[in-house]
Each structure stands twice: as structure tokens, then as C-alpha cells.
Amino acid sequence: MINSRKTIWSFIILWIASSLLFAQNSPVEYELKGNVTSVGGAAIESAEIYLSNRLKTINSDENGDFSTLVNENELIVVEAEGYKTQTVLLKGEKELNIILKPFVIGEVLQNAAMGKYLGRGLSASFSTIDADVIRRNNVMRVEEAMNGTLSGLYSLKSGGETFGSTNYALYVRGKSTTGDATPLILVDGVDANINLIDASEIESVTVLKDASELAMYGMRGANGVILINTKEGNRKDKFIHLDVRAGVQTPVKIASKLNAYQYTTLYNEAATNDGAIAIYDPDVYLSDHDAYSYPDTDMPGDFLKNHSSYQQYNFTLGGGNRNTQYFALLGYSKQDGLFEQSDEAKDDYASHNYSNERYNFRTNLNIDLGRGFTFESKLQAIFDKVYAPYVSGKWCNTIANYLFKNIMTTPANAYPIFNKDGSLGGTSEYTNNPVGDLDNGSRVEESRQLTALVRLGKDLDFITPGLSAHIMYDFSNFNSYYKNRYHSFAVYQQTSDTSYTKYNDDETQISRSGGTLDNYFVDHTIEGRLDYDRSFGLHDFTGALVFNTYSSKVSGDYPTYMWLGTSVRMLYGYDKKYYVQLAGSYQGSNSYASGKRYGFFPSIGLSWIASDEDFMSNVSFIDYLKIKTSFGLIGNDQTGGSRFMYRQYYYLGDNYGFGNPNGDKQGAYEGSLANENETWETAYMGNIGAELLTLNQTLSFEANYFYERRTDILVSESNLVPSVIGVSLPSTNAGVIKNQGVEMTVTYNNSVGDLEYGIGGNLMYARNEIIDLKETAYKYDWQYKKGHSINTVFGLKANGLLFADEVASAPTSSYGVVQAGDIKYINQNSDDDNLINDFDKVALGSTFPELIYGFNIYAKYKGFDFYCYGEGAALYSKYIRPDMYSEYAYNNRYQGDAGASYPRLSLSSNHNSQTSSFWEENANCLRISSVELGYRLPNDFIHRFKVEGVRLYVNLHNPITIANEREGRDFEAYTAGFTSYPLLKTWMMGLTVSL
């Protein structure tokens, strides 16, 4: 990115020089021919050449050549992205060879807290990806594109594929709280809902991770901050792009269901194990049989397709000149579901099947108004529509899981889909026939989001050089509506006399309903700021003073959420080698009691450019080396507690008898006691790291060690006060958790002839530990959470399965009568009469990964390009117990054999269903998240058609997952494809045309 500060100074020089020149005799013009190359001699295409006192800008061609009319003694400025700006004073030259030196790390602008600054002096740790990385992850939600691409960021799925909503949880550098650990997400510097944003709108994503940057966000910054910058036009490159993508999505995994013979066999076995009588005759399903009296349905095959369609279209344009830059986007995307309707439903209701379509619109405009004034506007509009079958009382984002679970958990022998008379089959227990669910109506949810931002700037050089001011206002509104069109349906069960018993009502009349969904919000942000950037010899000063107020009105009757604060940054550099950064904020929130709403959040950072020291001058293989450290105090007001805990609440209810005659009178009761000292969490953060660039700037490496101690975490006072007090107690800020770890990023880029290639990777290890949660006094030491990580699971320690000769000597169980084939639990306390109960539960593994990593590979050869992105997680566990009526249980259940890996079946005992190490899975996994192969048509061919560029590509999203799990589940979304809607692979072909 071009250094804007140098550009401004260049224009000042040009203006002064041209004024002096034109004050003399009229100059004589002549033609200047020039060539722009890099230090290595490579031609630089599209370099910008500015002439003094002229509005026109010239660009070098693909060979680096340019020509223009100039005046003798005229100044020209040459700029190119990734290179240092060069200014040349002409002295009658008619030919000019310009060699641009590349920037090294730190000499380009870095997205940082509340602004962009030269990365050289910043002491913080950043993770950044650009627009191309996001685009190559063909997804409808941006969160998924962050997987494995940003060091220090967890992007974890919590379920299967969703439509119109996200199922991703984001964490920065792990977890440090039992409250809400979600990072603050800002788009163009303001709070935003990114669930519906189009990836093609985004220019870059940056994660802020340590105190020197997070302190600017005060009580909202302790969980980390994700900065998303949208695309803008530029004065160099005018473009029109049309990107068309279409393909299919296939399930990653749909579990195999038992047929009627297998199901009834397992049911009989479980019953007889409990001493009951078998009620089924499985053998009837092995020969010809009456399919109505003895149904054997294949519900997944009947109601789920093996693929669905996916399509996305984006039209973007941008460009500008020295005074005005613009960018615009119009996007459309659609994703269909896997549910299969009947032919009648397809004819009557095209919207029954699950699908999601979205329209995105954005315009970004930057204008230089002259006289030091600048104007910026950003307008975004989104229209999102989700179609689903109608299910009473459910929103679209839950209907898919409901329908899928119904299909996957209904036994094959429960009922025939259709009875002999054509009516829908069902029973008193199973009234949700999938045909009825899919054909009884439709639900449509429409969401609209509008965001408008305006910013006005003014340089204040007349006060002092380097000073500028900006004021910004942002408005954002989101609301959604629903429309239902449905009728009820009945199911019928055949009785022994061939008559039918009816369950539910059957209506042919269509009912309609609609209204507003209670998930709206209206946000307002106002920001005023002063920026200062100036150098005095060896001294560099950069600073910012920012006033910010943000309010959010959400659904419900809650008062508007409001934050008000002032943030400051002061950066001093000496000799461009030694830097000190002071940052902080004084911020308050209306969620706390008067007099306790504001806090001060300071930080300090130091950085040293060691590679510029004289003693490093002979170390030729090191191009750049920076050592940095920071420390600060940050807050988190998303503590997980209820709002306004400092107030005492009373509720109506608990009627009582009073009067003569005795009557029923309404009373009132006291709620939980107030916590008048409620406050935010406080995070003490430290970071030390190093950045290295070596091997002629082909290999870059960064490593950081981080430490955080989070205090004032909400814990229940019931842990501290006996229950005999007789009233509900509040939560209090008394918990302490520490979190520490290391992260590393390495990137290697090089070229050999026409081959350009690169490989990169990132890795982070983070482990949290509970220091104090004011736990209830337990009977045994192993029951305490203290000393373990936040997501540690407590359960029974298992030691295989019991055999018949071990039952007599085995401990008894409070969860059921122990028999051969049950799980053998370890008794932790020999003083309790040899009994297995809750006192034997110990800390097992954590369900939150302590190690995450990602990698990327790319190669370009002539017109071909290849990209591959992957991600992985390790050092954590999942506790997955296959269903008793699963294929795994059928093939691996205990039947008296030593090789069984599934315990005996039972209809009544809870002994084997306890959380235990028997069901613990090592959740290490590796996922190839995206693979793309593209080809760019030759320019000499496409230019015949007045087209600037054409690229064809094939993209595979989520094609491969490598994990060791007994049922082939995805460890992040282990119910997906089993009891919740499956994860999907996307097979995509695309075409990008540049005009």
C-alpha cells in the first residue's frame, strides 16, 4: 500500500516548486520517455507518474515504459504499490530510468486500532488476510473463510450447515473467561453484523491480539478485536469485474440408519438384557412380508437428496483519479437444501424445500474536496430470504435440524410412509410423518440490513503541520419479517381389524400468518478525532485522540445499550529504530451503576528495529528484525451476567389467601439480591515477540509469547454463602483465570523463471487455567475445577468392559444394576462401600482445542494458478456416545466377546450413558478447507474482444477431513449428519471477466 504521508508531502513539494517555476517565464514543453523497474531490473507495470501542477496521472505499461510532455525543471513523483515513492527534479532529461526500492516489513500502512499506521513502529501482534484469500474460500458466511488463515484466531463450528444464520464461534488466543469470550467485530471501524456480508465486499481482515492495540477499545477489547475493511476505489486502476460461480454441495457425512431387522434385533436384545420380554420378530423382515403391517422405510433415501445447488454472482466496479475514488458491488447468492419433496408439493409450493438467497449492495466513495477537506461515504444494503417447510413455533434457522433429526431418529419399522388407503402413516408416538412435515406449508423469513457511514476530514496544517481532524457518523439498522402458509395434517395407524386410528387434525384450508421477528437492532456511532504525524530530524511523532459514542437499540424492552469514551495513542520513534507507544482509553457504559460506569484502560509498548543497528550491518542474511513487547490493562463488559445487576428487582406472583371470606390475592416476591459493586472483567495482558525477514525478503517469520490474567469474572455467591439464607444470591466479580501460550507464523515466497510459488503456515498453542472460581467446598480434592482449563469435562474414569467373572467383585453403581458388558468404572475412593457415584467423577480432557494451525500453498505458472488452504486442531477431546440404535452399536456391541467396543444394550439402565473416558475421543483433525485451480486466458487473445482479463477456475471447499473417530463424525460439529443437518462440501466452477 502506498505511503499516504509521503504522497501528501510529495504533492506539497510539487505545488511549491511549480508555483516558483510558473512565476518566471513560460516553460517550453518537450517529450519525456521513461522506464520504471525494481532493484532487480524487473519492469513495474501500472506505476503512477504525477507531474507538478497537473491533474493528469500517467501509468507505466507492462514493460514499465511511459512517455509524456513535461517542462524543464519540472518535478515528477513516481509511486507503485509495495515500493518506496521517488521524486525526481528534471533538468532537461529526455530519457529517464527510475529504479524503485521495495518496502520492507514495517514500511507499509498497517490496519490498527482506530486507524492505519506504519507498522515499523507498532509494538502489537497482528494477523491479516486480504481479499483474495477470502474469495477463494467459497462460502456464504465470512466467518468460515477465516478458518486457519489468521494466526491466533479460532473459528469453530457449533453444528451443521445453517441457512441465513451463522453457526461459528470466534475466539482470539483461546479463552480467558467463563463469560462471553466473543471478540469485538468492527467493519470500517464500527460495530457491524457480518453474518450477511458478501466476501467480495471485503478488502482485508485484521485481528488485534495484544494490549498495545486493544487498550484503545477499553472495556470492550479484552476478548480481542477483528477489523474488517471493505474495498475502496483507487486512482490507479479502473476496473469492472463480473464473477460467476455455480456448483453443487454434497453432504460430508450422513449417518447410516438401521433397517427394520437390525433395529428390532437390537431392541429385543436390550429388553432381554433387562429381563423383559422381546416384543418383535426380526425374522419377518428377512423374507417377503406385508410392508404396511411390517414397514421397513428408508427415510434418508426417501427424503434427502445426495446433492443441492449453489450459485453466486458478483458485479463490482471501481476506480477514480487523484480527487475521487469509488467502489460499487452488486451481489446475488443462493443455496438450496437437501430435503426432497413430493411431486405434489413441488407443484404447489416451490418454496417448501430449504433454501437461502441473498442480495448485497455496496457503494464506497472518497472525495478530495480541496482546501484540505476530504469526504468519505459507505453505503451497504442487504436483502436476505430463507425458505423452509412450515413447522409450528420454529424459526427457519432451527427447522432444518428439526426435520433432519426427525428423519434420522425415527425407526425404520415405526410406520409406513403411506398406508394402504393412501393416508399418511404414523403412531401416537410418531406423529411427524416427513411427507406431512415437508408438504404441509411453507415459512419465509426476510431480513433487511442498511448501513450508512459518512466521514468528513480536514487537514489543520495552518495550526501545525501534520495535524488533521475527522468526524464520522454511522447508522445501521437490521429487521426481519416472517410469512407462514400452512395447514395441519393427520397421521393414521392401522389397527388389527384393518381400521385406522387418527392422530392430530387434518385440514385442507390454508392458514396464513406473518409479522415482525424480534431480532432487530438500530445502531448509531459518532466519532470525532484528531491525528498528528510529524518528524523532526531523528524524532518521529504520531498520535491520535479519538472521542467515540456508540448506542444500540435491540429487540425487547431493554433500554438502549450505550458506550461513551475517549481513546488516545502516542507513538514516539527515535532514529527509526527505537519506538515507544502509549495507548489507552477512558470509557463508560450505561449498564453499570451511576458512579461506577467508567474505567481507565492504559497500555505501553516498546519496539526495537535491531536489524538497523551498526553491529547487524555485516549480517547479510537478515533483512529486517524487530523485537517488540507490550503490557496493558483491558476490560470485558460481556461478563455473561444479567443486565443492571446493581438494581433490586421484585416480581408479581405467589398468590396468597386474604380477607373474609378468604380470597386469592396477588402477591410479590423479591428477586435475586442486587450486586451494587457489579463491574466488568479486567484483563492484565502481556506480549513479547519478534519479526524477521530474511533470504532477500523471501522468508518471513513472526513469533509471540502472550500471557493474560483475567480477574473480576462473575461467579455465583451461592458458592460462598450457605443456602439457609433463604434468598437467591447474585453473581459477584470474584473469579480469576489465566491464559498463556505461543504463536508463530512463517511465509516463504519465491520465483524461478515463469514459476512463482509460496508456502505459509501459522500455529498457536494456548492453555487457560482456572485460578479461582469461589467453588463450593467439595468432599474430595479431585472434584474442584481449580487448576484445570475452562472447558474441562468431569466424568468417570473407565477401564474397559466388565466380563461375567468380574461382576461379583465389581463396585455397585448408583446408575443401575451392573451386569456383564457394562463399562468398568474406576472407584476413586475406597472408603465409600465400593460404590460408583458422582463422587467418583474426575477431570477428564478439555473440549476446547489448545493447539490450532493453518497452512497455505500457491503456485503460478504463466496463465495457470493453484491455491490450497488447510486448517487443523489438536490437544482436545470430544465425548461422543453412539446411539444404541446406530450402525456402530449394531456391529460392535457386547455379546460376550472380548473384542467388543460398545457396552451391552439396555432400555432402563443409565450406567453406560454416563459421561466417562470410555466415550472420550482424541479430537485431533486436519481439514483441507479450500483448493482452487485457475487459468487466465492470454491477453493477446482476449484483447481482441475488448476484454481486459478472463479467468476460469475450479474450486473445492471442504473436500477432505482427516480425523480418527469411531463414527466418522466431524469433531467441531459432531452431531452434523447424525441428529442435525450435515456439513457440506462445495464443488464449484467459476468465471471472472474483467472489462
Side-chain angles (χ1 to χ4, degrees), residues 115-281:
K116 292 184 178 182
Y117 300 91
L118 290 178
R120 186 178 183 87
L122 298 177
S123 58
S125 174
F126 302 93
S127 297
T128 301
I129 56 174
D130 61 21
D132 288 338
V133 176
I134 299 168
R135 185 198 61 77
R136 292 187 188 103
N137 283 274
N138 279 309
V139 293
M140 288 190 70
R141 278 162 292 283
V142 175
E143 300 98 312
E144 194 168 356
M146 301 179 189
N147 282 354
T149 58
L150 288 159
S151 173
L153 179 68
Y154 293 79
S155 180
L156 305 177
K157 292 186 292 291
S158 58
E161 186 73 18
T162 57
F163 294 79
S165 62
T166 184
N167 62 343
Y168 276 81
L170 301 177
Y171 305 97
V172 174
R173 286 183 168 177
K175 282 185 177 181
S176 303
T177 177
T178 56
D180 188 349
T182 303
L184 177 64
I185 301 176
L186 305 175
V187 176
D188 294 324
V190 298
D191 288 68
N193 171 25
I194 66 169
N195 187 33
L196 302 179
I197 194 172
D198 193 298
S200 296
E201 299 177 51
I202 298 175
E203 179 63 35
S204 64
V205 178
T206 300
V207 181
L208 309 182
K209 298 176 285 189
D210 66 314
S212 60
E213 295 296 327
L214 299 179
M216 302 271 297
Y217 299 99
M219 66 178 64
R220 308 181 69 203
N223 292 335
V225 176
I226 298 176
L227 303 177
I228 297 178
N229 283 7
T230 59
K231 293 181 179 179
E232 296 181 346
N234 60 73
R235 60 192 177 212
K236 178 181 67 175
D237 183 24
K238 298 177 177 63
F239 62 87
I240 299 176
H241 296 321
L242 175 63
D243 191 24
V244 178
R245 315 178 197 181
V248 297
Q249 294 183 310
T250 60
V252 172
K253 175 74 175 181
I254 293 183
S256 299
K257 278 194 65 174
L258 299 183
N259 58 35
Y261 172 81
Q262 294 169 319
Y263 176 85
T264 54
T265 298
L266 292 190
Y267 189 95
N268 284 349
E269 185 177 317
T272 55
N273 285 344
D274 292 342
I277 299 174
I279 63 173
Y280 294 114
D281 179 12

Side-chain angles (χ1 to χ4, degrees), residues 782 784 788 792-795 797 841-845 879:
W782 58 77
Y784 286 93
H788 301 289
T792 297
V793 170
F794 281 73
K797 199 73 174 177
K841 292 183 177 181
V842 299
L844 302 176
Y879 298 84

Side-chain angles (χ1 to χ4, degrees), residues 603-646:
S603 73
I604 183 172
L606 305 173
S607 56
W608 170 41
I609 313 301
S611 55
D612 284 2
E613 296 289 354
D614 292 339
F615 63 82
M616 294 287 290
S617 60
N618 294 325
V619 187
S620 59
F621 64 90
I622 293 181
D623 302 306
Y624 180 85
L625 174 63
K626 179 167 77 171
I627 310 298
K628 57 188 180 181
T629 187
S630 65
F631 179 80
L633 183 155
I634 323 295
N636 174 37
D637 62 352
Q638 304 301 303
T639 57
S642 60
R643 199 176 181 200
F644 307 127
M645 290 173 56
Y646 63 88

Side-chain angles (χ1 to χ4, degrees), residues 5 96 165 194 310 393 660 671 708 722 738 750 830 832 855 876-877 906 923 927:
R5 183 180 65 177
L96 191 64
S165 62
I194 66 169
Y310 178 89
N660 186 18
E708 177 184 350
K738 74 174 183 179
N750 208 343
S830 58
D832 63 356
F855 66 88
Y876 73 118
S877 300
S906 173
R927 177 181 292 106

Side-chain angles (χ1 to χ4, degrees), residues 406-428:
N406 180 37
I407 290 171
M408 297 301 294
T409 58
T410 300
N413 68 324
Y415 53 81
I417 299 300
F418 293 99
N419 295 311
K420 286 182 181 180
D421 63 355
S423 62
L424 295 180
T427 68
S428 59

Side-chain angles (χ1 to χ4, degrees), residues 78 351 366 513 563 679 775 821 877 940 963 981 995:
V78 183
S351 61
N366 299 77
S513 61
W563 291 267
T679 187
E775 298 178 74
S877 300
D940 57 357
Y981 197 84
L995 303 176

Side-chain angles (χ1 to χ4, degrees), residues 483-497:
K483 293 184 291 185
N484 295 328
R485 185 171 181 259
Y486 61 95
H487 64 85
S488 61
F489 68 94
V491 296
Y492 299 82
Q493 182 178 16
Q494 182 177 335
T495 62
S496 56
D497 60 357

